[in-house]
Every structure is written in structure tokens, then in C-alpha cells.
Amino acid sequence: AVTVATGFGRAAWAEERKSIRIGYAISKTGPNAGGAGITTLPNYLLWAKDVQDAGGLELPDGSRLPLEIVEYDDRSSAEEVVRAIERLANEDKVDFILAPWGTGFNLAAAPLFDRYGYPQLAVSAVTDKAPDFVKRWKKSFWMLGGGHDYAKALAAIMADAGKAGTLNGKVAMVSVADGFGIDLVSAARPAFEEAGIEVVYDKTYPVGTSDFTPMINEAKASGADSFVAFSYPPDTFAITQQAQVADFNPKLLYLGVGTGFPVYAKNNSENATGILSLGGIDPANAANADYRKRHEAVTGIAPDYWGSVITYASLQMLQEAIRRKGLDREAVAAEIASGSFETVLGETKLEDNQLRKLWWTGQWQNGQFVGIAPGDRAGASQLVLPRQSWKKA
Amino acid sequence: MIGMLGYVALAIGWALFSGPTRYVSLATVAFFGIGAYTCAVFSEVLAYPLLLLVAGLIGLGVALVVGLATLRLAGVYFVIFTFGLAELIRQLVTWYEVNITGTLGRYIFLPVTPEGIYWQLLALTAAAFAMSWAISRSRLGLALKVIGEDEVVASHSGIDIARVKLGLFALSAVIMTLVGAIQAPRWTYVEPSIAFNPTVSFLTLIMALLGGANRLMGPILGAVPLFLLFEWLSANFPNHYSIILGLIFITIVFVLPNGVLDFIEKGWARRLPVAKPAEVHK
Amino acid sequence: MLVTAVLSGLVLGGTYALLAMGLTLQYGIARIMNLAYGELIIVAAFLSYALFTYAGISPVWALLIALPGGFVLGYAIYGLLMAPLVRRARNAASLEIDSILTTFGLLFVIQGLLLVTFGANFTSYSYLNDAVQIFGTRLAANRLLALVLAVVLGAAIYLVLTRTLWGTALRAVAVAPGSAPLVGIDVERAARMAFALGGALAAAGGVVISMYQTFTATSGVVFTMKALIIVIMGGVGNILGALSAGLLLGLAETMVATYVDPGLTLATTYGLFLAVLLWRPTGLFGRAVR
Amino acid sequence: MSPFLQVSGLTRRFGGLVAVNDLSFSVAKGEIVGLLGPNGSGKTTVLNMISGHLPPSDGQIALADTRLSGLGPHKIARQGVARTFQLVRALPSLSVTENVIVALAFGRKRLWGEAARLEALKRLEQVGLAHRAGQQAGDLTYIDQKRMELARALAADPQLLLLDEWLAGLNPTELQTGIELIRGLKSSGITILMVEHVMEAIRALCGRCVIMNAGIKIADAPTAEALSDPAVVTAYLGEQHA
Amino acid sequence: MLEVKGLSLHYGRHVALDKVSLKVGKAETVVILGANGAGKSSLLKSIAGLVHGDPGARISFNGVPIQTASPHHVLETGIALVPEGRGIFGDLTVAENLALGAYARRARDQREAGFELVFSLFPRLAERRRQFVNTMSGGEQQMVAIGRALMSRPELLMLDEPSLGLAPVVVGELFRSLDRIRQTGLSLLIVEQNVGMSLAIADRGYLAEAGRITGEGPAPELLNDPAVKRAFLGATA
Ligand SMILES: Nc1ncnc2c1ncn2[C@@H]1O[C@H](COP(=O)(O)OP(=O)(O)OP(=O)(O)O)[C@@H](O)[C@H]1O
Ligand SMILES: Nc1ncnc2c1ncn2[C@@H]1O[C@H](COP(=O)(O)OP(=O)(O)OP(=O)(O)O)[C@@H](O)[C@H]1O
Ligand SMILES: [Mg+2]
Ligand SMILES: [Mg+2]
């Protein structure tokens, strides 16, 4: 259908167009499918449905064109990501490409987005190097902050609690030996030191570890009353369970990715209360609440409490920028960089191509995972420490 | 295209050793990953050609050590050993990065264009193919076949099994390492789970097996259509990719009436240059 | 601390052993290198999950469904896919290649079906996540169950294989399939039985681990590889070998995690595996089929 | 006669079992010696150690002035030792000619290409197998495979040939042909050590026999003498053969 | 008792058996003589159901047609085979090998009696019940193979070159055992290269050549037939 108008030149072709092509490569299979299937893919689907229901993407002239989605499975392989994006750009000639899932994959994709001139709204990528990247790839946008941001926020919380006498100033810490865990733990070490918190146990475990008993036992014996795990979803679930078996009740319990997953609350119900993690929401934000409801209604699963809403917001930004600037990718990128957008996060504006207004720390309270840090941000909830001991189900 | 060439080169490299000797190796990704990682580690300090050289040398070194260790293993024990080896290397690299260098991912900012990668891979593939052609016609090729059939006969015929196996294993490893090193700049970011993705080993194996690991053209005949099949499936059936792919695999096995191995060996026998019955005179 | 480490190591090893025993039957006796083995585990895990969350059926009851279910599934897979290959195979090598490719395909099919049915999400629920005190160590009841099941099933199968005529016949098929017909063993039936039994064990493993381990539609491969390593380490076809290799790995991992560095647990697994093979190229318990 | 093959104090243990126990004997150049003994007495094990297939647990083997014990099979092969196996080891998916070429290409002659092919055909003719040259080795009958194996051993241009029950399973007519073939080898100067249970062949070919029982040498004498030794009769021959 | 009529067998294009017919009577011992590759093993394997000949053949045992039966069915009708190369289970013990011999339904409840019979024929096996068979010498392995076949309580025992590779003293012992077995009323069908010894215990013999039966006669007659002598007994015998 796209090639009907060959020979008329680009302008003519643009006039003839019946749809806007949006493409993306996502891990539908392989080890990354679990993460991508929660944070990213449902939001792409939800957004596409929202746009279609509204009659298509609106262009500056007020007309609407329906979306045509081109989807590839990257099968959790970097090589596939690269290839899929090349194909989206060269063969499918899509108008915009949505970002893949995962820090590594977003980085692998970045030079291609850049070379083909597509804006890249990287959401599920946590990296401290974002300021460098935006210089290298002008049309790249990094929406989830870096390890330092999260680590500093946590250190501050712990330092305050230490001063208040709630915590003893000692922390036991484990991290997963993968990009995410290492980024965070290497940011956390200096942050904790600066905040005067003593790290009494600090170990890294390999991806795929299923038994955390030795680490929990060591942490329990270490004298720390705070336990921090920069973990991945399966680990997060396992640590929660195994800590209950071991009757390990640190006053502060901070877990990694997966804490904000809907299934986490479901499995742990009341026992989730008080657990800290990355991300969070403002429970009073009506737009967000509405988004969560729609997400669950449309995709059948609830969104997580960290990246999901930001993914959706990034798509809203893209949509709005297209409405303002049309299909010129340069202009759209510039608009995303400089414009201000009304999204499910509320008023959203990027600073230096990065989203900085984020919840660095959140906590399960009353069945919701609410943002508590930065505490001075509007809508922040109050931190509750120490957390309750495990209750028998 | 680059991806396809990469797999063609990997499959040729794999078949170079595993084809005639029937030592099915799952260590492909170990060397591929070593190449990619070397590229990442030294990308800032070494000139590009030197980088490839260093990668090749490291691959060679590891292959020699591994080769020496695995000489005693056979059959499925060798298969799983090589798989374990790839995972062990991945774990050790991870552990080293985490505990010694304190970072996990590494960035590769090399001024290599996709075209550059493409031509390099093409040259490597051509070189690998030429090598496997030369070997298949040489004494070495016969030695490998004999080793694959019966090592006892091989050694009693005067073949130095250890040296032949080790040499070929190393050669095939160097090719795989170079594929990794050449391809790495394409990803910008390398971490163990990306560089040491076991899928690479499995795909290489399947491609070479289906094409016929014993035939000169086998790896190419396996890698190209399979690669295109993967592409076509993932482009057209992203949601049912697995199911269709699986069914195709099963069908392939069932359609070949005497099994895949027979199919491969028959094709191979047809190509055999020595002693056709007609040439024999009393 | 040592007691704790040993006990948790054994409990972890129990899971490993449970997961590996079925594969050793399938590969050792039925001579099928089943790459879709992990998918059978995951199917059972999803079954148990679905029964528990949607029907409120306890996983312990699910076990009673999964065991025969796995048996039937294994029986069917062998009958439909494997038996034709075995019948036409001219030698062990061609059967091996055919079965690897077929089960590789099966792996994709099952994975695809699971993806379509359950999606790619992390699935987890918890059951029997209660502490049991043994020698002052708190162990998770669900993991303990895996150990008990591994030991009980392992011992039972061992006894059947060594003490009954039928079991001896199965071993005979394993060591010399070509000779088995001479004494009136229907090799195909014996192999199908062994394969089905392996399926039942895989299903049991799947149900048990679903109680405490997070899984996804695509995580079967992880289990296949772990199981393979244990099978090879213990010696192909050797039930006691699988049991001991599993326990050994569990112990080693826990010891290293406790006393050295949790970062090296997987390296230990593979290192230990490689070391065992270098020391004994046919696994801990050699070739003899017990 | 100076010994050509010299075996002294040769011992091989398998776990607790001593398969070959302190065995010493020698073979002169050009001689055909029979190595006999009941089943399981260690004959094949001795051949395995001479050819380097198994390392001896103890003792020495020397060929002319070269020490063989401790060398790998490929080195021993290059010293001019060739053998056949009790259970034939063909290379089934190679052609018959290729099977023979293997020994030419890696043996002492290092022939390759057309020269190797012609030489291989010659060897096949020698064992009466030229008409099967183009077939796959796996398609041959057991006996033809044995022939091919001998051709392969001969192609290595051996000084010492080890035959492990090469004549077993032949019917009496075929046996005669086989005996003639081996006799022909002797005249070309090859030294032969043969393991055989066929007494007829032993009597026809071997000037001398070394007889083992349970890993120990119980006789080493000219054939007629060795075979009438009472110890040999009870342990090996049985009454009717005496 | 055993009757084979018009049995042909092809391996690909190669004709291994060409319209072979033969008979074995009750309590009769029959020897098949023939050059290598004559198809003797193929014949025994076809009877045992391990390979199936071309359609059109008829093999019956005690009147039951078995030309298309699978090996375990053939065994159930009462035919046991000791194949070339023995076909024992090397990684199992003597006792386990023998026990499996009685796996057939017809023999299961007579296992103990079977053990007694085998141990009385081969007392050495009784001493070695727990030994792994692959650690035994060739002669002992042959005893296991024959013993295992006897455990299935056959009416017809087929042996394919049982003396191959055995020391002379063992060969003598073997034929004495076979003679004893035959006196228990079993029928024997033996393929042998050791023509003298096998004809000595046989009632009748067949001559096979290139897939066909070319001659037949009572054993003493064959033993003295000059043509047979030339072809199978060799000049020096
Ligand atoms: N690799 C091995 N491992 C263990 N035992 C072995 C091995 N090879 C041989 N044996 C044992 O050593 C002894 C001698 O075996 P060998 O094969 O040398 O006998 P042989 O004299 O050739 O007998 P035959 O005439 O039956 O061929 C036997 O008891 C055998 O079981
Ligand atoms: N599986 C097979 N595939 C192809 N050809 C075969 C097969 N088995 C036997 N043959 C061929 O069939 C013919 C008869 O073989 P068979 O083994 O029955 O002979 P035999 O009389 O028992 O000989 P031997 O004395 O060598 O044991 C031979 O030419 C052999 O090569
Ligand atoms: Mg021997
Ligand atoms: Mg035969």
C-alpha cells in the first residue's frame, strides 16, 4: 500500500498516505519477555488502542490518520534488536520507532535511531550516563533516571531514619550481577558512605539465582537492621518468600524490580506493606488512577508502579509532539526536548532530554505503591518506618 | 545481511571442527562472546586492526586451554561440557566485572560503519570458507574424518589425534572469536548476558546440522535459508513465531525419510572424490 | 551456621535432583535427548498455578493430577513424535540428531502455546511457604517437600529398576537396545514407559517448584540445561547419580554462597561440573545403569 | 638371532584385576609367533600395550632399539607397528579405498593423492578385495571388513604386524586362503605376532608360541613342543587337541 | 516343528536370502554350514523376527505362522536365539542377564527352575552370579548367552557361531554342553564354522551358499561327503 505512489515524490506520497506507521521491536520471548511484558508491551498496545479509538493520530492540520503497527520480536537478543530496527527504518520505512525494553537494548538501538534520524524515547533504561548519551545522540531521551538518583534518595531516607534513631545505621545489601544491579550498587556504596551508613554485608549474586537462604542468613546475622536488594523480579519474589521463612524482619526492607509489579501485591497482600523499592505513584493523581484502571481493563493486567506509567506518558508526549509538529522527525524530536506536555504523570517536561521528575523511592502503603522520595515533590506520601514484621497468611 | 553473514561465518567455523569429528560443540558463544568482550575492553586503548588481532589471540589461547581439557570427553559429555564452559566463562566475566572493575556493561564507541562490518565479515566468511575447502581436500581433512569415525583407528594409523583436534578446535574458535569482535561495535553496549547469549550456540548448531556439517556448502546451505526463515517468521508471525518455527523443525525431521543424518551423509558421499566404483579396474 | 548451610544446601539440591531425575530416565533409557524437557516442567507449573489461583485447588492435589498427566503427555509425545524416529533410525547417532531437532521444535511449540495462553509475564504464587524447624534451622516447607519427593521418588525408582524384573528390563533396554528383543522385551514399549515416567517426574518437579519459584512461559530452557548438567554429572541413565549430583550441586552452591561469595554460585556449578567430567569423563557414576 | 621385539616385565592392571602379569618374551625379525591362551588370559591386552592403545602399568616394550612403552599409538604406528582388531574397526562411512588410504597418508610412507589411491588398490588386491574398492566400508560383510582391515594394516608398511584373531570365523576353505596370505607376508619380511584360537592356523604358521594363562606366561617354545606341554593342554587345549 | 518356506530377504538391492526353505523337527539338531556372507545369520534373524523377509514367505512354528511376528512374539512361541556376538547385557550382572532370559511370559513362573537348569549345565555361572558380564572372558560370556536363551524355556534354540573366538578347551566344553542340552529334548538349529564338532552332535545339516540352500542331508552322510569335505572341512581337516 505504501508504494502506490512511487514516482510522485515525497510530498505527493505524504499527501496520499492513509496511515501512520509505528514500529517497534520488543522481547516477546526469551529471558527479557517477563520484564517487557509488564512494563512496555501492554502500554504500547494500550496506547495504540487509545489512539485508534480516538480516530487515529492527530496531525497539525487537525486531520487524523490511523496507526499501522509493525511489531517484531527481538527474542531477547541484542543482535535481533539491531536488525529489527534496521528493518523498521530501511524496509518498513516506519514513521516512528518505539524504544525496546532494557538498558542494554536501548543502548544497542541508540546509534541506529540516531543514524536513521528517529527520536528514541528510552523508558526502561536506567543509566547514569544519560547526560553523555544525549550529547552523542541528540534525539535520544532518557526517562527513568540513573542509579545514583535512586541510591542517593535511599541513602537520604536511611540517614534521616538513623538520625531519628529508628534505624541503627547499618545495612546489609545484595545485588544482582546484571546491568541494573551493578549500576545501583556501585552508586549506593559511595552514597551510603557519604550518608554515614555502614555497609556490613555487600554481595552480588548471579542472574538466575533461586535460593537466597545463605544470603538472608548472613544478612540476618550481620547486625544490620536494614536490608537492601537491588534485585530482578524472580529474585524479588524469592527474597520476599524466603525472608518470611527465615523470619528475617529488617526494619527497612528495600527490594528491586518486581516490587512494583501487580502480582507482588497479590501474592504478598498485607505482608507487602512497608516494603520500599524504586518508583511509585502519587495516589492522589486522578489522571494516573484513571490510567491504571484503563490499563487493567484493556490489557487484562494491572500496570507496575514504576516504568509502566512513564512508558505510557512517553507515548503521550510523542503523540502530542506529532500533533504539534507533524511527521517531521527532526521537529518532533525538538518539540519533545523543549515542549511541555500534559500526560498521565501530570505536567511533564524534559530537562536536557531527560525526565527528572520521578519518584526515586516508593513504599507499599494500603495496597498501593506510593512515591515517598523526593519528599518535597508534590503528592509525596509519608515514609513509614519501621515496617511491620511478617504476618502469617 | 550482517546478521546472516555472521551466522554463516559462525556455522562455517563450527563445522570446520565439529562436522568431520562429530564433536558437537556448544561453546560457540563462549568464543563469540570473548571476541565481543575483548573488543569492548580494548576499544579505547587499541587501534582497530590491533583489536581484532588481540581478540583472535585471546580466543586462540582460551581454545588451546579448553581443547587440552576436553580431549578425553566424547559424545553428549562433550556437548554439555562445552555448554557448561560457555556459561562458566560468562559467570567468570560477570564476577570479574562486578568485583574487580565495578561496572558491568561496557560501551563500544568505534567509528565502524555497518558497511565496514559487512565487508569485514564477508572477508572473514570468505577466508573461513576457503580454509574449510582447503582442509577438506587435504590430508588434514581425512584425518578429521577418521577421528570422527573411530579415534582408535585414527591413532593406530599414525594420526596425532590430540594435535589435529586441538589445532582445528583452535582454528574454529579463532573464527568465532573474530565474528564476535567484528560484530560487537554494532551493539554499542555489551554486557555478559548480551555477549554470551547461549542462543547463538544453539542457532549455529542447528544451522550447521540442517545444512550438513560434513559438506563444504552445508553451513551456508543451512545458515542462509534458516536465517531468512527466522526473519520471515518474526516479521510476519510475531505472535506465533515459536509455534510455527517449532512445527517447521518437526516437519523437517519427519519429511526426511531416513533422518537428518542420513540426508547429510548421503549428500556428502555424493561429493566424495575418491574411488568411484567405475574407476576401479581389476 | 554450618548445619544451616548443609541443610539449606541439601534442600536446594533436592529441587535440582527432582528436576533432573526424569531427564535421566528419558535420555538414559529411552535414548531421547529431550530438549523440551524443561517445557514439560513449565507446563506443570502453569497447571498448578492455574488450578491454585482460579480453582483454589491446592498444589498438593495438583501433584496427583500432574503425575499421571505428565505420564500421559510423555506417553503421547513418545508415541507420536519419537517412536517413528526410533523405528527408522539406523544408528544411535542419527537418532540423536533427529531427536534433538524434533524436541527442539517441540520446545518452541510448547513455548509458543504457553505464550499465547499465559503471556510472557513472570508467574508466581506461594504455597506452603512455611518454616519448618530442623536442627534449629528454619527451612521452607515447600522446598523441603521437593527434597522429600526427590529422595522418595528417586529411591522408589531405583528399587524398581534394580529389584524388579520389569526394571531390569528397562535397564537392559538402556545398555543394549539391540539385544533386548532377544529376551522378549518390547523395546518400543519399554522406551515409551521410561519416557512417560520421565514426563511424570518432570510434571511432579514442575508442580513443586511452582510453589516457590517464579517462572515464565520461556524459562523452561533454564531447567533443561540445569537438569542436563546434573544428568551428565551423575552419569546418563543413573537415577542415584542424578540424585547425588543434584544434592552435591545444591550443597556446593550453598557452601560457596555462605562462605565464599554468592556471586560465584553459578560459576561453582559449572566449575564443579567441568571438574567432575575431567576427573570422570562419563560422570560420577560411570556408565553402569543403576 | 637378536630380538626384534622385546617385551620385558610387562604388566597391566584394571582396578584390582591383573590382566597381564610380569610378562616377558621376544620375537626375532621375520618370525611369526603365536600368542595363545584361554579367553580372558590377557592376549588382546598385550597387543593393546604393544600398539600403544593402552599404557602398560609396568614393564618395557622395545622394537629394534626403540623403546615403545610410553609412546602414544600414533608414534608407535610411525615406528612401523600395525595391527588388526579382534572386533573389526572399519571406518564405516568411508569407502574401502579411503580406509586404506588413511594408513598410507599418515603411516610411514606419507602417500597422498593419486599415488595413494594406486597403492591402496594394490593392497586391496593383495587381500582379494579389489572388486569392493568403491563400496562404503560399512556395507561389507564382516569377513570382508577383516580383509580390508588387513589391507589397511599392510598399507602402513609395517615392520611388525599384530593380528588379533584375524582368522576367526572363517570356514575351512577360507581359512586356507587366509593362511596362505599370512605366509606370503612372512616371505616379504614382515614380523608377525598373532593371537589365534584356530590351532590349525597356529600349527601351519607359527614357528614358536607364547602361551598365557590368567596374565602369566605358561609356555614359550617351538609350536609343537608348546602345544604338548601338559600345563597348556589342561589350561587351554583340552584333551582332544593334545 | 519349525518350517520355513520360500523365505527371501533383501538389504536394499542386496539379496541376502533367496527362497530359502528348511525344517527342524522335534528334538532334532540341525546344522547350517556355509561360507561367510551366505546368509546364515540373516536366516536365523528372520526366524527370530529381528528382521522381516519379503512378503510371500511362510515361517511356522508348531503350526503357528510367525513370518510377520515381532521378536517378543516369536520368543513366546518357544524359539530363542543366541546371536552372533552374543548380544548379552554387558553392564548387567550374570544373575540379571539370566533373569531377563525369563522375561517372556511363557517362562516367568518357571524362573527358579530355569536357574537350576542353567546352573547345572554351567556350574561356573552359579559361582559368578553377581559378576558384571562385560568383565567376563569370552567363553563365560558365551555361557551367559546360552544360559539366558535357555531361561526362556524354548522348544527350539538357535545358535549363531557359538564357538567363535573361544579357546579350544572352551569349544570342547561348549559342544559337550550343547549335547547335554539336546538330550533334554530341545531342538537345536546351529550355524557353525566348526564343521567337525557341530556335525558330530547334529542329526541333519543344510548347506548354504549365496543366500540359497544348496544341499541337505543326515549329519554322518555330510561328514563323509567328499564335496562337503572339500568345501567346508578344508584340505587339512
Ligand atoms: N578396558 C578394560 N577394563 C577392565 N578390564 C579389562 C579391560 N580390558 C580387558 N580387561 C580384562 O582383562 C582380562 C584380559 O582381557 P583380554 O581382552 O586381554 O583377553 P584375551 O586374552 O584377549 O581374551 P579373548 O581370547 O577372549 O579375546 C579380561 O579379564 C578382561 O575382562
Ligand atoms: N544390515 C545389513 N545391511 C546390509 N547388508 C547386510 C546386512 N546384514 C547382512 N547383510 C549382507 O547380507 C549378506 C548375508 O549376511 P549374513 O550375516 O546373513 O551372512 P552369514 O552367512 O551369517 O555370514 P558370516 O559367516 O560372515 O556371519 C552379506 O552379504 C551381508 O553383507
Ligand atoms: Mg582377545
Ligand atoms: Mg553370520
Side-chain angles (χ1 to χ4, degrees), chain E residues 41 84 160-161:
Chain E
S41 303
E84 237 173 338
D160 196 349
E161 305 205 16

PDB file of all heavy atoms in Angstrom, chain E residues 41 84 160-161, ligand 4:
ATOM      1  N   SER E  41      23.327 -66.001   9.171  1.00  0.00           N
ATOM      2  CA  SER E  41      22.851 -65.167  10.272  1.00  0.00           C
ATOM      3  C   SER E  41      21.528 -64.516   9.911  1.00  0.00           C
ATOM      4  O   SER E  41      20.623 -64.395  10.750  1.00  0.00           O
ATOM      5  CB  SER E  41      23.865 -64.077  10.599  1.00  0.00           C
ATOM      6  OG  SER E  41      25.101 -64.658  10.894  1.00  0.00           O
ATOM      7  N   GLU E  84      25.044 -63.993  16.875  1.00  0.00           N
ATOM      8  CA  GLU E  84      26.449 -63.694  16.638  1.00  0.00           C
ATOM      9  C   GLU E  84      26.856 -62.577  17.591  1.00  0.00           C
ATOM     10  O   GLU E  84      26.124 -61.611  17.751  1.00  0.00           O
ATOM     11  CB  GLU E  84      26.557 -63.126  15.212  1.00  0.00           C
ATOM     12  CG  GLU E  84      27.469 -63.832  14.293  1.00  0.00           C
ATOM     13  CD  GLU E  84      27.344 -63.263  12.879  1.00  0.00           C
ATOM     14  OE1 GLU E  84      26.311 -62.644  12.548  1.00  0.00           O
ATOM     15  OE2 GLU E  84      28.263 -63.450  12.133  1.00  0.00           O
ATOM     16  N   ASP E 160      24.098 -68.914  16.755  1.00  0.00           N
ATOM     17  CA  ASP E 160      24.825 -68.401  15.598  1.00  0.00           C
ATOM     18  C   ASP E 160      26.313 -68.367  15.930  1.00  0.00           C
ATOM     19  O   ASP E 160      26.761 -67.553  16.725  1.00  0.00           O
ATOM     20  CB  ASP E 160      24.313 -67.007  15.241  1.00  0.00           C
ATOM     21  CG  ASP E 160      24.743 -66.593  13.842  1.00  0.00           C
ATOM     22  OD1 ASP E 160      25.594 -67.289  13.261  1.00  0.00           O
ATOM     23  OD2 ASP E 160      24.229 -65.574  13.351  1.00  0.00           O
ATOM     24  N   GLU E 161      27.066 -69.249  15.343  1.00  0.00           N
ATOM     25  CA  GLU E 161      28.506 -69.353  15.537  1.00  0.00           C
ATOM     26  C   GLU E 161      28.905 -69.278  17.009  1.00  0.00           C
ATOM     27  O   GLU E 161      29.668 -68.401  17.417  1.00  0.00           O
ATOM     28  CB  GLU E 161      29.221 -68.254  14.742  1.00  0.00           C
ATOM     29  CG  GLU E 161      28.831 -68.319  13.284  1.00  0.00           C
ATOM     30  CD  GLU E 161      29.880 -67.721  12.353  1.00  0.00           C
ATOM     31  OE1 GLU E 161      31.014 -67.534  12.804  1.00  0.00           O
ATOM     32  OE2 GLU E 161      29.537 -67.481  11.194  1.00  0.00           O
TER      33      GLU E 161
HETATM   34 MG    MG F   4      26.794 -64.710  10.399  1.00  0.00          MG
END
